[in-house]
Coordinates of all heavy atoms in Angstrom, one line a residue:
S121 N -9.8 0.4 -6.8 CA -10.7 -0.2 -7.9 C -9.7 -0.9 -9.0 O -8.5 -0.7 -8.9 CB -11.7 0.8 -8.5 OG -10.9 1.7 -9.1
E122 N -10.4 -1.6 -10.0 CA -9.6 -2.2 -11.0 C -8.7 -1.2 -11.8 O -7.6 -1.5 -12.3 CB -10.5 -3.0 -11.9 CG -11.1 -4.2 -11.2 CD -11.9 -4.9 -12.2 OE1 -12.4 -4.4 -13.3 OE2 -12.5 -6.1 -11.9
D123 N -9.2 0.1 -11.9 CA -8.5 1.0 -12.6 C -7.4 1.8 -11.9 O -6.8 2.8 -12.3 CB -9.5 1.9 -13.5 CG -10.4 2.6 -12.5 OD1 -10.4 2.3 -11.2 OD2 -11.3 3.4 -13.0
D160 N 1.8 -2.0 -14.7 CA 0.3 -2.4 -14.7 C 0.1 -3.0 -13.4 O 0.8 -3.8 -12.9 CB 0.2 -3.5 -15.8 CG 0.2 -2.9 -17.2 OD1 -0.1 -1.8 -17.3 OD2 0.5 -3.7 -18.2
L161 N -1.0 -2.5 -12.7 CA -1.4 -3.0 -11.5 C -1.7 -4.4 -11.5 O -1.5 -5.3 -10.6 CB -2.5 -2.2 -10.7 CG -2.1 -0.7 -10.5 CD1 -3.4 0.0 -9.9 CD2 -1.0 -0.7 -9.4
L162 N -2.5 -4.8 -12.5 CA -3.1 -6.2 -12.7 C -2.5 -6.8 -13.9 O -2.2 -6.2 -14.9 CB -4.6 -6.1 -12.9 CG -5.5 -5.4 -11.7 CD1 -6.9 -5.3 -12.2 CD2 -5.2 -6.1 -10.4
K163 N -2.4 -8.2 -13.8 CA -2.1 -9.0 -14.9 C -3.3 -10.1 -14.8 O -3.4 -10.9 -13.9 CB -0.9 -9.8 -14.8 CG 0.3 -8.9 -14.9 CD 0.6 -8.5 -16.4 CE 1.7 -7.8 -16.4 NZ 2.0 -7.3 -17.8
G164 N -4.2 -10.0 -15.8 CA -5.4 -10.8 -15.7 C -6.3 -10.1 -14.7 O -6.5 -9.0 -14.7
E165 N -6.8 -11.1 -13.8 CA -7.5 -10.5 -12.6 C -6.9 -10.6 -11.4 O -7.5 -10.6 -10.3 CB -8.8 -11.4 -12.6 CG -9.7 -11.2 -13.8 CD -11.0 -11.9 -13.7 OE1 -11.4 -12.3 -12.5 OE2 -11.7 -12.1 -14.7
Q166 N -5.6 -10.6 -11.4 CA -4.8 -10.5 -10.0 C -3.7 -9.5 -10.1 O -3.4 -9.0 -11.1 CB -4.2 -11.9 -9.7 CG -5.1 -13.0 -9.7 CD -4.6 -14.3 -9.2 OE1 -3.2 -14.6 -9.4 NE2 -5.4 -15.2 -8.7
A167 N -3.2 -9.2 -9.0 CA -2.1 -8.3 -8.8 C -1.0 -8.7 -9.6 O -0.7 -9.9 -9.8 CB -1.7 -8.1 -7.4
N168 N -0.3 -7.8 -10.3 CA 0.8 -8.0 -11.2 C 1.9 -8.9 -10.4 O 2.2 -8.3 -9.3 CB 1.4 -6.7 -11.6 CG 2.4 -6.8 -12.6 OD1 3.3 -7.8 -12.6 ND2 2.7 -5.8 -13.5
P169 N 2.3 -10.0 -10.9 CA 3.2 -10.7 -10.2 C 4.6 -10.0 -9.9 O 5.3 -10.2 -8.9 CB 3.6 -12.0 -11.2 CG 2.3 -12.1 -12.0 CD 1.8 -10.6 -12.1
Y170 N 4.9 -9.2 -10.8 CA 6.2 -8.3 -10.6 C 6.0 -7.5 -9.4 O 7.0 -7.3 -8.5 CB 6.4 -7.4 -11.9 CG 7.6 -6.6 -11.7 CD1 8.9 -7.1 -11.7 CD2 7.4 -5.1 -11.7 CE1 10.1 -6.3 -11.6 CE2 8.6 -4.3 -11.6 CZ 9.8 -4.8 -11.6 OH 10.9 -4.0 -11.4
R172 N 4.2 -8.1 -6.6 CA 4.2 -9.1 -5.7 C 5.7 -9.5 -5.3 O 6.1 -9.5 -4.2 CB 3.4 -10.3 -5.9 CG 2.0 -10.1 -5.8 CD 1.3 -11.4 -6.0 NE -0.2 -11.3 -6.2 CZ -1.0 -11.1 -5.1 NH1 -0.5 -11.3 -3.8 NH2 -2.4 -11.1 -5.3
D199 N -5.3 -9.2 -3.3 CA -6.5 -9.2 -4.1 C -7.7 -9.5 -3.4 O -7.7 -10.5 -2.5 CB -6.4 -10.2 -5.3 CG -5.2 -9.8 -6.2 OD1 -5.2 -8.7 -6.8 OD2 -4.3 -10.7 -6.3
K201 N -12.1 -10.0 -4.1 CA -13.2 -10.1 -4.9 C -14.3 -9.5 -4.0 O -14.6 -9.8 -3.1 CB -13.7 -11.4 -5.4 CG -12.6 -12.1 -6.3 CD -12.8 -11.5 -7.6 CE -11.9 -12.3 -8.6 NZ -11.7 -11.7 -9.9
S205 N -16.8 -7.7 -8.7 CA -15.6 -6.8 -9.2 C -14.4 -7.0 -8.3 O -14.4 -7.5 -7.3 CB -16.0 -5.3 -9.1 OG -16.3 -5.0 -7.7
H206 N -13.2 -6.7 -9.0 CA -11.8 -7.0 -8.3 C -11.5 -5.7 -7.6 O -11.7 -4.6 -8.1 CB -10.9 -7.2 -9.4 CG -9.5 -7.4 -8.9 ND1 -8.5 -6.5 -8.8 CD2 -9.0 -8.6 -8.4 CE1 -7.4 -7.0 -8.3 NE2 -7.7 -8.2 -8.1
R207 N -10.9 -5.8 -6.4 CA -10.4 -4.8 -5.6 C -9.0 -5.2 -5.3 O -8.7 -6.4 -5.0 CB -11.2 -4.5 -4.3 CG -12.6 -4.1 -4.5 CD -12.7 -2.5 -4.6 NE -14.1 -2.2 -4.6 CZ -14.7 -1.7 -5.7 NH1 -14.1 -1.5 -6.8 NH2 -15.9 -1.3 -5.5
M208 N -8.2 -4.2 -5.1 CA -6.8 -4.4 -4.7 C -6.6 -3.8 -3.3 O -7.0 -2.5 -3.2 CB -5.8 -4.1 -5.8 CG -4.4 -4.3 -5.3 SD -3.1 -3.7 -6.5 CE -3.4 -4.9 -7.7

Side-chain angles (χ1 to χ4, degrees):
S121 61
E122 291 178 350
D123 56 359
D160 291 330
L161 294 174
L162 300 175
K163 288 289 183 182
E165 293 188 17
Q166 295 188 343
N168 185 331
Y170 178 65
R172 289 184 186 275
D199 294 299
K201 294 285 184 182
S205 63
H206 182 267
R207 299 271 191 248
M208 180 184 288

